[in-house]
């Protein structure tokens, strides 16, 4: 078994025991067992003595120090994905792993000259995207914030970050309310797409709808720009329909006023069930005194991530763009 398989098996088998003992969903049990693994003990008092012994025996067989952060992240992610399939809710969706890794690569390129930085993910979910990025910024001093309104996802995110020893500051709140976070050098966000139900709160935003509910993804973009430092970068996973909706002209005007577009990278259509669900990585830089727009934005249609030859050629193209634009190199 690979290290990821060994660790996934531990999370899976122990979660199944806890699911039965605690009469909860598998997803909730994954969060509970993750916390147990971190502490090396069984924290749930209601677990029977027999199963406490079984669980402790299982936990003893695994030493987290023997695994890399990426192995821990991927194994925990597999268990969470299994739970999400049973417990499907539209907002319980995880950023695909290949996309998380590619965004990590891009964040690394754009922040190559940073020694220390602050990262914010205002729709952190299970913290899979955030921890993937943190794992690829190992030589920097990083302060990070994750915000989500969903209690269960927040518990999973907290456990996920603990297992990987990332000291993330988590806030369980509506991300579109005022935030108690430092302004960030980098914002990463897999944008929640849909309508925002709180019209009163939406009325504070420039990108509010004139009538009816506002688009949550538009408000998330505005909120993110607001909490980014001058010259800071924003990496959004956006629906390809972002600029064709009825409220797109307003969004376009807002972005033109406050940001510089650095790039738009279209993800391969083969990753999505249908063309309507397709997404792209949208890279912005908040305007500031020293910020210059690139002569040419990075506009790319990405090949399949499994096509190593095509990906290698694409990475070379991106490297060349950085050299030409003198971005972070």
């Amino acid at each position: 078994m690979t290290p990821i398989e060994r660790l996934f098996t531990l999370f899976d088998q122990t979660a199944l025991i806890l699911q039965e003992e605690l009469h909860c969903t598998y997803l909730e049990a994954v969060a509970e067992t993750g916390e147990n693994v971190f502490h090396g003990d069984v924290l749930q008092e209601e677990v029977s003595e027999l199963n406490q012994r079984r669980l402790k025996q299982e936990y003893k067989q695994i030493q987290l120090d023997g695994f890399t952060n990426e192995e821990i992240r991927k194994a925990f992610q597999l268990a969470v994905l299994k739970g999400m399939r049973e417990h499907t809710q539209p907002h319980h969706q995880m950023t695909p792993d290949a996309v998380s890794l590619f965004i990590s690569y891009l964040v690394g390129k754009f922040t190559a000259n940073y020694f220390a930085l602050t990262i914010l993910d205002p729709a952190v979910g299970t913290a899979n995207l955030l921890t993937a990025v943190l794992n690829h910024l190992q030589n920097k001093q990083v302060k990070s914030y994750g915000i989500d309104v969903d209690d269960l996802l927040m518990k999973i995110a907290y456990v996920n970050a603990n297992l990987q020893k990332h000291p993330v500051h988590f806030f369980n709140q509506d991300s579109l309310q005022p935030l108690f976070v430092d302004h960030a050098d980098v914002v990463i966000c897999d944008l929640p797409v849909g309508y925002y139900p709180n019209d009163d709160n939406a009325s504070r935003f420039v990108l509010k709808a004139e009538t009816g509910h506002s688009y949550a993804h538009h408000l998330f973009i505005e909120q993110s720009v607001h909490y980014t430092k001058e010259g800071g970068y924003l990496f959004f996973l956006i629906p390809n329909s972002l600029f064709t909706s009825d409220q797109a002209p307003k969004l376009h005007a807002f972005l033109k006023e406050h940001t510089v577009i650095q790039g738009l990278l279209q993800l391969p259509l083969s990753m999505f069930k249908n063309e309507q669900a397709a997404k792209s990585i949208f890279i912005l830089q908040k305007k500031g005194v020293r910020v210059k727009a690139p002569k040419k934005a990075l506009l790319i249609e990405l090949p399949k991530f499994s096509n190593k030859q095509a990906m290698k050629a694409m990475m070379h193209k991106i490297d060349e763009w950085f050299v030409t634009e003198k971005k972070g190199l």
Side-chain angles (χ1 to χ4, degrees):
M1 285 172 89
T2 66
I4 293 170
E5 285 168 340
R6 277 177 56 218
L7 206 44
F8 166 72
T9 303
L10 169 77
F11 289 134
D12 181 48
Q13 297 304 314
T14 54
L16 289 168
I17 294 169
L18 286 169
Q19 182 182 10
E20 203 168 297
E21 282 276 345
L22 304 174
H23 308 292
C24 64
T25 65
Y26 177 85
L27 199 53
E28 289 165 326
V30 167
E32 296 293 334
T33 202
E35 196 143 26
N36 289 350
V37 170
F38 178 69
H39 290 281
D41 200 1
V42 179
L43 303 179
Q44 302 77 20
E45 290 173 7
E46 56 270 56
V47 174
S48 68
E49 225 171 286
L50 175 67
N51 275 331
Q52 286 220 22
R53 282 201 299 275
R54 274 178 72 191
L55 288 167
K56 281 177 184 172
Q57 199 59 41
E58 292 280 350
Y59 297 143
K60 251 184 216 157
Q61 289 172 30
I62 292 283
Q63 295 298 318
L64 282 183
D65 290 346
F67 297 85
T68 67
N69 269 5
E70 277 296 274
E71 286 165 350
I72 295 168
R73 183 184 69 78
K74 287 178 178 180
F76 193 66
Q77 173 192 231
L78 288 172
V80 171
L81 280 169
K82 179 181 171 182
M84 284 182 172
R85 284 193 193 105
E86 289 174 13
H87 189 87
T88 46
Q89 283 181 278
H91 62 289
H92 283 194
Q93 285 181 350
M94 205 185 279
T95 309
D97 207 46
V99 177
S100 295
L101 293 173
F102 195 72
I103 290 175
S104 304
Y105 158 76
L106 290 169
V107 171
K109 293 291 281 183
F110 277 93
T111 62
N113 288 340
Y114 285 68
F115 169 67
L117 67 148
T118 302
I119 296 185
L120 166 66
D121 185 340
V124 74
T126 63
N128 187 52
L129 172 59
L130 178 58
T131 55
V133 170
L134 292 175
N135 287 342
H136 289 82
L137 295 173
Q138 285 168 341
N139 302 323
K140 300 181 192 298
Q141 288 179 12
V142 184
K143 191 175 185 182
S144 54
Y145 295 97
I147 302 165
D148 209 284
V149 73
D150 187 291
D151 299 21
L152 176 55
L153 296 186
M154 183 93 313
K155 170 99 189 261
I156 293 167
Y158 156 80
V159 170
N160 194 8
N162 272 352
L163 289 168
Q164 297 175 63
K165 297 187 172 68
H166 289 305
V168 182
H169 301 267
F170 286 112
F171 294 89
N172 185 195
Q173 68 161 95
D174 175 355
S175 305
L176 298 175
Q177 295 284 354
L179 305 178
F180 301 97
V181 301
D182 293 337
H183 280 53
D185 297 291
V186 171
V187 172
I188 53 171
C189 188
D190 185 345
L191 289 174
V193 177
Y195 290 104
Y196 180 57
N198 186 339
D199 294 337
D200 279 351
N201 190 44
S203 67
R204 300 187 304 112
F205 289 81
V206 174
L207 294 177
K208 65 179 182 287
E210 295 310 319
T211 54
H213 290 325
S214 303
Y215 284 139
H217 40 301
H218 287 203
L219 303 186
F220 264 87
I221 290 172
E222 183 177 336
Q223 182 84 322
S224 298
V225 170
H226 178 70
Y227 283 95
T228 303
K229 292 177 187 175
E230 279 192 6
Y233 294 101
L234 302 102
F235 300 82
F236 293 120
L237 200 55
I238 61 163
N240 286 356
S241 60
L242 187 72
F243 296 109
T244 55
S245 73
D246 56 327
Q247 294 177 35
K250 208 172 177 181
L251 174 65
H252 192 77
F254 174 84
L255 293 177
K256 199 173 174 184
E257 186 183 344
H258 297 283
T259 69
V260 163
I261 294 173
Q262 291 288 351
L264 184 66
L265 295 86
Q266 193 173 315
L267 294 168
L269 293 176
S270 57
M271 286 187 76
F272 305 95
K273 284 176 189 162
N274 54 56
E275 213 169 308
Q276 283 70 43
K279 293 189 175 187
S280 297
I281 299 167
F282 190 34
I283 308 165
L284 300 169
Q285 186 176 18
K286 187 169 177 176
K287 283 186 175 176
V289 182
R290 294 182 182 176
V291 174
K292 286 181 184 169
K295 292 182 192 77
K296 197 177 174 188
L298 183 63
L299 302 174
I300 281 175
E301 272 189 47
L302 291 168
K304 283 185 180 177
F305 289 108
S306 56
N307 184 339
K308 286 184 180 155
Q309 208 58 40
M311 276 308 289
K312 200 174 173 183
M314 187 55 68
M315 300 293 227
H316 181 65
K317 198 174 167 183
I318 293 170
D319 287 342
E320 281 184 337
W321 181 84
F322 272 92
V323 173
T324 309
E325 295 294 338
K326 295 181 175 59
K327 289 279 179 297
L329 287 179

